[in-house]
Amino acid sequence: MNTTRAGWEALLLPIVAIIAALLLFGVFVASVGHSAWAVWRLLFLGAFGDWFSIQNTLFRAAPLMLTALCVAIPARAGLIVIGGEGALVMGALACAGLPYLLDLPHGWVGTVAVLLASALAGGAWIALSGLLRQWRGVNETISSLLLAYVAINVFKHLVEGPMRDPGSLNKPSTFALDASWWVGPMGQMDVHWGLAWGLGLCAAAALWMGMSTHGFATRVVGGNPRAATLVGLPADRLVVVACAAGGAAAGLAGGFEVAAIHTAASASVISGLGYSGILVSFAARHQPLAIVPMALLLGGFGAAGSLLQRRLGLPDASIHVLLGLAFVLILAMEAARGRLFKALFGGWLRARTPSSAREAL
């Protein structure tokens, strides 16, 4: 019974938080003279109303899946890493900067090389947080956030300085990648192949954590580090590998931002996708497969922002109010874990459960 209750709570808590965020967002827009019902309707239409909206949602969800893994995978090892923005930025910088260092061949080999460089750069950047945590006792939440700040400033220094394309006058950027290295769309859709990688890596992470010995050992370290050490598990290595794997996913998101969208590294890459991935991961309770629907939902909210601006005159940035409310409420709902199910259904279950089994509720 406890297992069933925990499963239902894992499903209900994020749903309740999202619904509450939508209600509060409706109150917010009503306070400035707009119909809450019209806003909710436009949110749905902007996200899933037609094929163009669906493609826009998929386009926005792709990097969110990858940056959410930067939080979810270390979380299974017991770490709260929130520096995915730094990994994404370093991945974008490595993708754009590799041609400065190597004479890459044209075609798909060059594409693989720049994307691999982005994954390695992101993985190494987040692995630093794991190393600092295990070897020096530095809190990984603080260190990953500060490393993200460092990464952004390193990115700006190099893009606006040594790596700057002299022809980029109004908006400093690196030299554009060779056209043969660009990542194209998936079939006839206006969505790049980062979506396929996001879906594939979420599935791979779920299989790794749920069905492999290494994944099980990582979850043991995350659940009880002391017990893991007592049974001889290499906790330090498992933690660093989990951080590196999550960082590699976020770094790959940065690589796709360059190779599939911007074609060069510029300030446009720093758009908060790493921070949005935190919300997606927490809403999915750090479950890799649950990241997919949550990324689609929150990506849909982002896609609907421009529709709210066109139809109602709301600023495009107003959608960040909704995302902020959702994040705060999802975190607040953690306090209701173990209580929500009992509050909603406890009386009904007690009335229908034999007294010998009530202790299990």
Side-chain angles (χ1 to χ4, degrees):
M1 182 66 71
N2 287 334
T3 302
T4 302
R5 183 176 68 188
W8 277 107
E9 283 187 339
L11 176 65
L12 287 175
L13 286 174
I15 293 176
V16 171
I18 294 296
I19 292 174
L22 287 169
L23 291 174
L24 289 175
F25 186 65
V27 172
F28 168 74
V29 296
S31 68
V32 294
H34 296 286
S35 167
W37 176 255
V39 168
W40 294 330
R41 177 176 173 273
L42 289 176
L43 282 173
F44 174 78
L45 291 178
F48 309 107
D50 54 29
W51 181 232
F52 175 81
S53 299
I54 292 173
Q55 289 184 97
N56 195 6
T57 295
L58 294 173
F59 179 87
R60 292 171 179 267
L64 294 181
M65 295 177 194
L66 295 170
T67 55
L69 287 174
C70 187
V71 182
I73 296 177
R76 306 310 299 273
L79 278 68
I80 302 300
V81 171
I82 59 173
E85 186 77 1
L88 181 147
V89 165
M90 294 306 291
L93 187 63
C95 179
L98 187 63
Y100 286 73
L101 302 176
L102 300 175
D103 186 14
L104 299 176
H106 295 287
W108 66 269
V109 175
T111 303
V112 171
V114 295
L115 292 178
L116 180 61
S118 67
L120 291 175
W125 199 254
I126 298 301
L128 287 174
S129 293
L131 289 169
L132 290 170
R133 157 69 184 273
Q134 296 303 112
W135 292 356
R136 289 293 181 265
V138 179
N139 181 278
E140 74 282 354
T141 306
I142 296 174
S143 67
S144 62
L145 184 61
L146 292 177
L147 283 170
Y149 175 79
V150 172
I152 290 172
N153 284 280
V154 168
F155 178 92
K156 289 180 177 179
H157 168 72
L158 293 176
V159 170
E160 298 175 8
M163 294 174 59
R164 179 173 180 173
D165 175 8
S168 59
L169 300 178
N170 295 327
K171 190 171 189 179
S173 70
T174 62
F175 288 97
L177 292 180
D178 186 273
S180 66
W181 303 333
W182 296 354
V183 176
M186 297 173 57
Q188 301 300 315
M189 296 193 300
D190 290 330
V191 184
H192 59 75
W193 281 95
L195 175 64
W197 275 92
L199 294 171
L201 289 180
C202 284
L207 291 173
W208 171 39
M209 287 295 174
M211 301 183 67
S212 72
T213 302
H214 190 278
F216 175 74
T218 301
R219 289 188 286 117
V220 171
V221 170
N224 193 329
R226 186 175 181 182
T229 303
L230 290 175
V231 299
L233 291 178
D236 292 348
R237 186 176 68 194
L238 290 168
V239 166
V240 173
V241 168
C243 289
L252 191 60
F256 279 114
E257 287 294 301
V258 172
I261 302 173
H262 304 293
T263 72
S266 68
S268 299
V269 173
I270 309 172
S271 58
L273 291 171
Y275 300 123
S276 298
I278 301 171
L279 171 58
V280 173
S281 182
F282 273 89
R285 300 179 68 87
H286 310 308
Q287 299 294 330
L289 291 181
I291 283 174
V292 175
M294 292 310 305
L296 291 172
L297 178 63
L298 297 179
F301 287 164
S306 59
L307 187 62
L308 293 178
Q309 185 179 39
R310 293 195 306 270
R311 297 283 184 89
L312 300 179
L314 289 171
D316 187 45
S318 63
I319 202 68
H320 293 294
V321 175
L322 173 59
L323 296 178
L325 289 170
F327 189 38
V328 170
L329 290 171
I330 286 168
L331 293 178
M333 281 294 173
E334 287 298 310
R337 187 191 296 188
R339 304 175 186 175
L340 180 64
F341 191 88
K342 185 178 292 187
L344 294 176
F345 306 110
W348 180 83
L349 286 173
R350 281 192 295 271
R352 289 161 176 77
T353 305
S355 57
S356 59
R358 288 179 185 172
E359 293 298 324
L361 293 176

